[in-house]
CSV table of all heavy atoms in Angstrom, one decimal:
chain,number,residue,atom,x,y,z
A,51,GLU,N,-21.3,0.4,-11.8
A,51,GLU,CA,-21.0,1.8,-12.2
A,51,GLU,C,-20.6,2.7,-11.0
A,51,GLU,O,-19.8,3.6,-11.2
A,51,GLU,CB,-22.2,2.4,-13.0
A,51,GLU,CG,-22.4,1.8,-14.3
A,51,GLU,CD,-23.2,0.5,-14.2
A,51,GLU,OE1,-23.7,0.1,-13.1
A,51,GLU,OE2,-23.3,-0.2,-15.3
A,52,THR,N,-21.2,2.4,-9.9
A,52,THR,CA,-20.9,3.2,-8.7
A,52,THR,C,-19.4,3.0,-8.3
A,52,THR,O,-18.7,4.0,-8.0
A,52,THR,CB,-21.8,2.7,-7.5
A,52,THR,OG1,-23.1,3.0,-7.8
A,52,THR,CG2,-21.4,3.5,-6.2
A,53,LEU,N,-19.0,1.7,-8.3
A,53,LEU,CA,-17.5,1.5,-8.0
A,53,LEU,C,-16.6,2.1,-9.1
A,53,LEU,O,-15.6,2.6,-8.8
A,53,LEU,CB,-17.3,0.0,-7.9
A,53,LEU,CG,-17.9,-0.7,-6.7
A,53,LEU,CD1,-17.6,-2.2,-6.7
A,53,LEU,CD2,-17.4,-0.1,-5.4
A,54,MET,N,-17.0,1.9,-10.3
A,54,MET,CA,-16.3,2.4,-11.4
A,54,MET,C,-16.1,3.9,-11.3
A,54,MET,O,-15.0,4.5,-11.5
A,54,MET,CB,-16.9,2.1,-12.8
A,54,MET,CG,-16.9,0.6,-13.1
A,54,MET,SD,-17.8,0.3,-14.7
A,54,MET,CE,-16.8,1.1,-15.9
A,55,HIS,N,-17.2,4.6,-11.0
A,55,HIS,CA,-17.1,6.1,-10.8
A,55,HIS,C,-16.1,6.5,-9.7
A,55,HIS,O,-15.3,7.4,-9.9
A,55,HIS,CB,-18.5,6.6,-10.5
A,55,HIS,CG,-18.5,8.1,-10.2
A,55,HIS,ND1,-18.3,8.6,-9.0
A,55,HIS,CD2,-18.7,9.2,-11.1
A,55,HIS,CE1,-18.4,10.0,-9.0
A,55,HIS,NE2,-18.6,10.3,-10.3
A,56,ASP,N,-16.2,5.8,-8.6
A,56,ASP,CA,-15.3,6.2,-7.4
A,56,ASP,C,-13.9,5.8,-7.7
A,56,ASP,O,-13.0,6.6,-7.4
A,56,ASP,CB,-15.8,5.5,-6.2
A,56,ASP,CG,-17.1,6.0,-5.6
A,56,ASP,OD1,-17.6,7.0,-6.2
A,56,ASP,OD2,-17.7,5.4,-4.7
A,57,LEU,N,-13.7,4.7,-8.4
A,57,LEU,CA,-12.3,4.3,-8.7
A,57,LEU,C,-11.7,5.2,-9.8
A,57,LEU,O,-10.5,5.5,-9.7
A,57,LEU,CB,-12.3,2.8,-9.1
A,57,LEU,CG,-12.6,1.8,-8.0
A,57,LEU,CD1,-12.7,0.4,-8.6
A,57,LEU,CD2,-11.6,1.8,-6.9
A,58,GLN,N,-12.5,5.6,-10.8
A,58,GLN,CA,-12.0,6.4,-11.8
A,58,GLN,C,-11.6,7.8,-11.3
A,58,GLN,O,-10.6,8.4,-11.7
A,58,GLN,CB,-13.1,6.7,-12.9
A,58,GLN,CG,-12.6,7.5,-14.1
A,58,GLN,CD,-11.5,6.8,-14.8
A,58,GLN,OE1,-11.6,5.6,-15.2
A,58,GLN,NE2,-10.4,7.5,-15.1
A,59,ALA,N,-12.3,8.3,-10.3
A,59,ALA,CA,-11.9,9.5,-9.6
A,59,ALA,C,-10.5,9.4,-9.0
A,59,ALA,O,-9.7,10.3,-9.0
A,59,ALA,CB,-12.9,10.0,-8.6
A,60,LEU,N,-10.2,8.2,-8.4
A,60,LEU,CA,-8.9,8.0,-7.8
A,60,LEU,C,-7.8,7.9,-8.9
A,60,LEU,O,-6.7,8.5,-8.7
A,60,LEU,CB,-8.9,6.7,-7.0
A,60,LEU,CG,-9.9,6.6,-5.8
A,60,LEU,CD1,-9.8,5.2,-5.2
A,60,LEU,CD2,-9.5,7.7,-4.8
A,61,VAL,N,-8.1,7.3,-10.0
A,61,VAL,CA,-7.2,7.2,-11.1
A,61,VAL,C,-6.8,8.6,-11.6
A,61,VAL,O,-5.7,8.9,-11.8
A,61,VAL,CB,-7.8,6.4,-12.3
A,61,VAL,CG1,-6.9,6.5,-13.5
A,61,VAL,CG2,-7.9,4.9,-11.9
A,62,ASP,N,-7.9,9.4,-11.7
A,62,ASP,CA,-7.7,10.8,-12.3
A,62,ASP,C,-6.8,11.7,-11.3
A,62,ASP,O,-6.1,12.6,-11.8
A,62,ASP,CB,-9.0,11.5,-12.5
A,62,ASP,CG,-9.8,10.8,-13.6
A,62,ASP,OD1,-9.2,10.0,-14.4
A,62,ASP,OD2,-11.0,11.0,-13.7
A,63,SER,N,-6.9,11.4,-10.0
A,63,SER,CA,-6.2,12.3,-9.1
A,63,SER,C,-4.9,11.7,-8.6
A,63,SER,O,-4.1,12.4,-8.0
A,63,SER,CB,-7.1,12.5,-7.8
A,63,SER,OG,-7.3,11.3,-7.2
A,64,ALA,N,-4.6,10.4,-8.9
A,64,ALA,CA,-3.4,9.8,-8.4
A,64,ALA,C,-2.1,10.4,-8.9
A,64,ALA,O,-2.0,10.6,-10.1
A,64,ALA,CB,-3.4,8.3,-8.7
A,65,GLY,N,-1.2,10.8,-8.0
A,65,GLY,CA,0.1,11.3,-8.3
A,65,GLY,C,0.1,12.7,-8.8
A,65,GLY,O,1.1,13.2,-9.3
A,66,GLN,N,-1.0,13.5,-8.8
A,66,GLN,CA,-1.1,14.8,-9.4
A,66,GLN,C,-0.2,15.8,-8.6
A,66,GLN,O,0.2,16.8,-9.1
A,66,GLN,CB,-2.5,15.3,-9.4
A,66,GLN,CG,-3.4,14.7,-10.5
A,66,GLN,CD,-4.7,15.3,-10.7
A,66,GLN,OE1,-5.2,16.1,-9.9
A,66,GLN,NE2,-5.4,15.0,-11.8
A,67,ASP,N,0.0,15.5,-7.3
A,67,ASP,CA,0.8,16.5,-6.5
A,67,ASP,C,2.3,16.1,-6.5
A,67,ASP,O,3.1,16.8,-5.8
A,67,ASP,CB,0.3,16.5,-5.0
A,67,ASP,CG,0.4,15.1,-4.4
A,67,ASP,OD1,0.5,14.1,-5.1
A,67,ASP,OD2,0.3,15.0,-3.1
A,68,ALA,N,2.7,15.1,-7.3
A,68,ALA,CA,4.1,14.7,-7.3
A,68,ALA,C,4.9,15.7,-8.1
A,68,ALA,O,4.4,16.1,-9.2
A,68,ALA,CB,4.2,13.3,-7.9
A,69,PRO,N,6.1,16.0,-7.7
A,69,PRO,CA,7.0,16.9,-8.5
A,69,PRO,C,7.3,16.3,-9.9
A,69,PRO,O,7.4,15.1,-10.0
A,69,PRO,CB,8.2,17.0,-7.7
A,69,PRO,CG,7.8,16.7,-6.3
A,69,PRO,CD,6.7,15.6,-6.4
A,70,GLN,N,7.4,17.2,-10.9
A,70,GLN,CA,7.8,16.7,-12.2
A,70,GLN,C,9.3,16.4,-12.4
A,70,GLN,O,9.7,15.5,-13.1
A,70,GLN,CB,7.3,17.7,-13.3
A,70,GLN,CG,5.8,17.8,-13.3
A,70,GLN,CD,5.1,16.5,-13.6
A,70,GLN,OE1,5.4,15.8,-14.6
A,70,GLN,NE2,4.1,16.1,-12.8
A,71,ASP,N,10.1,17.2,-11.8
A,71,ASP,CA,11.5,17.0,-11.9
A,71,ASP,C,11.9,15.7,-11.2
A,71,ASP,O,11.5,15.4,-10.1
A,71,ASP,CB,12.3,18.2,-11.2
A,71,ASP,CG,13.8,18.0,-11.2
A,71,ASP,OD1,14.4,18.2,-12.2
A,71,ASP,OD2,14.3,17.6,-10.1
A,72,THR,N,12.8,14.9,-11.8
A,72,THR,CA,13.1,13.6,-11.3
A,72,THR,C,13.8,13.7,-10.0
A,72,THR,O,13.5,12.9,-9.0
A,72,THR,CB,14.0,12.9,-12.3
A,72,THR,OG1,13.3,12.6,-13.5
A,72,THR,CG2,14.5,11.5,-11.7
A,73,GLY,N,14.8,14.6,-9.8
A,73,GLY,CA,15.4,14.7,-8.5
A,73,GLY,C,14.5,15.1,-7.4
A,73,GLY,O,14.6,14.6,-6.3
A,74,LEU,N,13.6,16.0,-7.7
A,74,LEU,CA,12.6,16.5,-6.7
A,74,LEU,C,11.6,15.4,-6.4
A,74,LEU,O,11.2,15.2,-5.2
A,74,LEU,CB,11.9,17.7,-7.2
A,74,LEU,CG,12.7,19.0,-7.3
A,74,LEU,CD1,11.9,20.1,-7.9
A,74,LEU,CD2,13.3,19.4,-5.9
Side-chain angles (χ1 to χ4, degrees):
E51 291 80 10
T52 299
L53 291 180
M54 291 176 66
H55 176 271
D56 289 355
L57 294 174
Q58 186 62 49
L60 296 176
V61 171
D62 294 341
S63 64
Q66 286 189 347
D67 60 343
Q70 293 303 308
D71 176 79
T72 297
L74 293 176

